[in-house]
Amino acid sequence: MTKKVALEKLPTGVPGLDILLAGGIAKYSFNVITGAPGSGKTTLAHQMMFALANSKRKALFFTVMGEPPLKMLRYQQQYSFFDLEKVGPSIRYFNLAEDLQREGFDGVLERILKEVRDFEPELIFVDSFKSVVQATKESVQSTASLQYFVQRLGVHLATWQATTFLLGEYADAAQEENPIFTVADGIIHLCQAFEQDEMVRKISVVKMRGIAHQTGLHRFRMSGDGLRVFPRLLGGIVASKHDPQGMRGRSHRPTVRLSTGCSGLDAMLDGGLPEGYSSIVMGPPGCGKTVLGTSFLAAGARIGEHGIIVSFEHTLSPSFNAPLDALIEQGSVTEVSLTAIDLTVEELVAALLDEVERTGAKRIVIDSLSALELVIAPQYRPHMLESLYRMLTHLHARGITVMMIRHLANMSESLFSSGDFIVDAIIAMRYTEIDYKLVKLISVPKLRGSRHSADVRKFTTNEDGIELGDSL
């Protein structure tokens, strides 16, 4: 019985893209990157090229009728991934415009193969390949000639064991009737459009032979570091840049209890919050929710557990939360503060997983869900509950305990309508009036799969956290 051939994959170096590709681009594959002008094709190609190219794996970048190499390099140097020392020894640029005008398909093919023979690259990029088609449409060469040319190019490059990327301004790769797409092993499509007055960029893997890639449209952003892809949160898949296929995801029955920093509340929770649980601390403004969240992080810091605070309300200067500032300053807590006006839950999850991988954090406090709903992009708000559910699934699978703060105008608000059924635990805080004084009360309406107190206890807040008093 013969052995199956295993596809060797090349990591693209683009955060999030390898998750869509289940690990990376197949080595020696023939790929097409498509999208309208300005969608990010050339930047994506350069980001992959500079991540992969080295002294042993060299790259050739051919330009046809688009930007001349010098102009393109001027702009690509603005990105952090650009390494000038690689240009020349490991990466070379050639312009095929004259070859195309003089000799058509044959001239382009011959020039590409000549440079491949001389330089022996493992990576080849042609930008923009659609220019070849447009420049030759006026000649007598037919679509059949183009298909034959593409097939010959693919065969030659496969013989040279090169991984190839052709870039083209195709607005919709899934609908284009083009011989290039038939021959290609992989098609990656970039698009951009206005949604709720915001320009939104998205990427899709239309085709990838031999790879169980993720389908559909996934959002990405461009910054000084290049592209970053934010894969849609898919149920059952727990992935990160260090774990592209989510193999570390696991379900477990919690046996460890984590202290909230308040011994009285821990007793009400039968020993504390179970490790890996998600909880909501809910109540009206000013009742002490953020104080409890800070106390939870401080309890972890005391036993050497790193924490993360996802802040939409807390500011470092001026600050009204000195204990939290102290935890951040001493390095026990990392603050994740996202300020994009068109934020998605996928971006929040990506930021959290980055910090979890970097710090080994076991506790996360989100302050608050109410503020998150205000900063999330309007087009994603109808799907907020579903996205939160999948976010918690991802974090739970890594054994992370999450405490989320939620503001409620009054405690008569339906738990179901506020989405609290998706969490494992609910801690309710509220006010009541006794003898003409406001008294703070705390209770535990829910603790999934565990005993918990049915008492309603009085409590007070201080700089160290909260302190429980008598039952009501």
Side-chain angles (χ1 to χ4, degrees):
M1 186 175 179
T2 58
K3 276 186 167 184
K4 289 184 179 179
V5 175
L7 286 179
E8 184 178 350
K9 295 179 183 178
L10 299 174
T12 62
V14 180
L17 181 56
D18 288 345
I19 297 174
L20 303 187
L21 297 171
I25 289 282
K27 198 173 183 180
Y28 310 137
S29 59
F30 193 76
N31 305 282
V32 179
I33 300 174
T34 68
S39 58
K41 301 181 302 299
T42 301
T43 301
L44 174 61
H46 275 81
Q47 193 170 348
M48 291 192 290
M49 181 171 67
F50 277 93
L52 291 168
N54 53 46
S55 58
K56 295 182 179 179
R57 185 194 293 129
K58 295 182 288 186
L60 282 177
F61 199 106
F62 295 100
T63 59
V64 187
M65 300 292 287
E67 295 176 306
L70 285 178
K71 180 181 178 183
M72 184 169 53
L73 284 173
R74 184 182 304 123
Y75 290 105
Q76 291 301 316
Q77 286 183 54
Q78 310 309 310
Y79 293 103
S80 62
F81 59 74
F82 190 92
D83 185 353
L84 189 59
E85 293 184 359
K86 289 187 177 182
V87 179
S90 302
I91 297 172
R92 290 185 183 176
Y93 290 84
F94 293 95
N95 193 318
L96 301 177
E98 291 186 7
D99 302 271
L100 178 62
Q101 292 297 327
R102 284 199 315 263
E103 304 175 48
F105 289 147
D106 291 335
V108 171
L109 179 61
E110 186 56 38
R111 178 68 186 279
I112 289 176
L113 296 181
K114 176 184 180 302
E115 300 302 340
V116 168
R117 285 191 295 267
D118 292 345
F119 196 52
E120 297 183 349
E122 288 190 30
L123 302 166
I124 297 173
F125 297 82
V126 182
D127 183 11
S128 149
F129 198 74
K130 190 174 183 181
S131 299
V132 177
V133 181
Q134 292 174 330
T136 54
K137 274 185 176 178
E138 297 178 359
S139 71
V140 296
Q141 299 183 75
S142 64
T143 301
S145 300
L146 172 61
Q147 185 168 8
Y148 179 57
F149 164 73
V150 174
Q151 289 172 340
R152 284 191 298 158
L153 178 62
V155 169
H156 280 295
L157 296 178
T159 303
W160 284 101
Q161 293 189 320
T163 306
T164 307
F165 299 87
L166 310 183
L167 284 63
E169 286 79 23
Y170 296 97
D172 190 346
Q175 302 298 323
E176 291 280 352
E177 293 182 4
N178 193 300
I180 297 174
F181 300 140
T182 304
V183 176
D185 299 311
I187 302 173
I188 298 174
H189 183 65
L190 308 180
C191 62
Q192 54 187 357
F194 281 101
E195 293 183 6
Q196 300 285 336
D197 297 329
E198 297 293 339
M199 177 60 77
V200 176
R201 300 176 184 266
K202 294 183 180 180
I203 186 170
S204 64
V205 181
V206 179
K207 173 183 180 182
M208 199 59 62
R209 285 189 179 127
I211 294 177
H213 62 276
Q214 289 191 26
T215 57
L217 288 169
H218 305 262
R219 190 163 179 177
F220 74 92
R221 285 190 186 273
M222 293 182 66
S223 68
D225 296 323
L227 277 73
R228 172 154 193 174
V229 178
F230 301 98
R232 294 196 332 274
L233 301 179
L234 304 176
I237 297 176
V238 182
S240 72
K241 63 181 180 180
H242 299 291
D243 184 22
Q245 294 178 298
M247 299 308 293
R248 275 185 274 169
R250 64 193 186 280
S251 295
H252 64 280
R253 190 178 184 86
T255 57
V256 177
R257 299 277 178 153
L258 303 184
S259 173
T260 62
C262 172
S263 59
L265 180 57
D266 289 345
M268 294 182 70
L269 294 167
D270 198 30
L273 281 174
E275 184 182 40
Y277 265 34
S278 57
S279 62
I280 281 184
V281 178
M282 60 199 313
C287 66
K289 301 182 299 297
T290 298
V291 173
L292 179 57
T294 302
S295 174
F296 176 63
L297 293 173
R302 285 193 289 270
I303 59 174
E305 284 187 358
H306 195 87
I308 293 174
I309 175 72
V310 183
S311 175
F312 299 102
E313 301 176 18
H314 171 255
T315 56
L316 290 177
S317 180
S319 175
F320 300 97
N321 194 338
L324 180 58
D325 287 345
L327 291 171
I328 294 172
E329 187 174 348
Q330 71 187 32
S332 299
V333 171
T334 298
E335 182 179 28
V336 174
S337 183
L338 302 174
T339 58
I341 59 174
D342 55 347
L343 183 68
T344 67
V345 173
E346 283 78 8
E347 291 177 78
L348 173 59
V349 172
L352 288 178
L353 294 183
D354 280 353
E355 290 304 318
V356 168
E357 297 282 0
R358 186 180 69 84
T359 65
K362 287 295 184 181
R363 302 180 184 218
I364 293 177
V365 172
I366 298 177
D367 188 8
S368 66
L369 287 182
S370 306
L372 174 60
E373 290 171 353
L374 292 177
V375 301
I376 207 78
Q379 61 268 34
Y380 297 105
R381 288 174 191 167
H383 311 291
M384 178 81 172
L385 187 58
E386 179 185 358
S387 296
L388 282 175
Y389 172 76
R390 297 190 181 194
M391 177 188 78
L392 294 175
T393 300
H394 283 226
L395 296 174
H396 169 72
R398 286 172 167 77
I400 298 169
T401 309
V402 183
M403 179 179 285
M404 299 179 291
I405 293 170
R406 183 180 182 87
H407 300 309
L408 294 182
N410 58 75
M411 295 307 295
S412 63
E413 181 177 336
S414 167
L415 297 184
F416 184 88
S417 67
S418 61
D420 303 313
F421 63 92
I422 68 174
V423 297
D424 303 306
I426 298 173
I427 299 171
M429 307 173 84
R430 61 188 175 94
Y431 296 108
T432 191
E433 186 176 318
I434 300 177
D435 295 332
Y436 304 102
K437 291 182 180 180
L438 285 178
V439 177
K440 295 179 180 179
L441 303 176
I442 191 168
S443 59
V444 181
K446 175 182 178 180
L447 188 60
R448 182 174 284 143
S450 176
R451 296 182 303 172
H452 60 92
S453 172
D455 291 346
V456 177
R457 301 276 299 273
K458 299 177 183 178
F459 75 95
T460 56
T461 59
N462 55 53
E463 62 179 18
D464 295 323
I466 69 171
E467 185 175 342
L468 267 59
D470 298 334
S471 296
L472 184 64

